[in-house]
Amino acid sequence: MCGPPSPCAPFPCVPCVGVESVMECLMVVDPMDSGDVFSSASVPEIGLAEYVRWWDSQIKCSKECYAWAVVLIARSKLVVCSSTVHRILLAALVMAVKYRDDMYFSNRA
């Protein structure tokens, strides 16, 4: 977790630092039963950096979507800790992809 005199204090440039670094700066000390809908029963074994790389290989979204996802999380009132960070990141990433990269078609002829 980042302390007060960290590079995280004035929200860093996301593409330069990396999503996992920014997410670690947003994380709080882990309250295991935060009661949040994103809380998992146990902390996932996969690390955050590996989790981001795996999703990047699966969804092939633009790099801007990761920045959008981090901004969405930073502006939310959600508790980001080791038991919620994976699910919150996935939800924010899906929202960012739907907003930024999604191609939609009209039903009109």
Side-chain angles (χ1 to χ4, degrees), residues 67-81:
W68 278 87
V70 169
V71 169
L72 284 169
I73 294 167
R75 291 183 177 179
S76 73
K77 303 285 189 230
L78 297 171
V79 176
V80 181
C81 59

Side-chain angles (χ1 to χ4, degrees), residues 10-22:
F11 207 75
C13 173
V14 176
C16 299
V17 176
V19 175
E20 60 275 359
S21 299
V22 175

Side-chain angles (χ1 to χ4, degrees), residues 67-105:
W68 278 87
V70 169
V71 169
L72 284 169
I73 294 167
R75 291 183 177 179
S76 73
K77 303 285 189 230
L78 297 171
V79 176
V80 181
C81 59
S82 59
S83 65
T84 62
V85 68
H86 294 81
R87 293 177 182 185
I88 290 174
L89 180 60
L90 178 59
L93 188 58
V94 167
M95 288 174 35
V97 168
K98 293 295 284 179
Y99 179 77
R100 171 90 174 70
D101 290 351
D102 197 20
M103 300 290 291
Y104 62 93
F105 300 96

Side-chain angles (χ1 to χ4, degrees), residues 38-79:
F38 292 103
S39 294
S40 61
S42 62
V43 177
E45 293 180 14
I46 186 171
L48 194 55
E50 187 179 346
Y51 187 73
V52 170
R53 278 192 299 272
W54 188 84
W55 277 112
D56 189 42
S57 71
Q58 297 298 312
I59 60 176
K60 308 282 191 231
C61 66
S62 65
K63 300 303 177 196
E64 290 85 5
C65 287
Y66 291 98
W68 278 87
V70 169
V71 169
L72 284 169
I73 294 167
R75 291 183 177 179
S76 73
K77 303 285 189 230
L78 297 171
V79 176

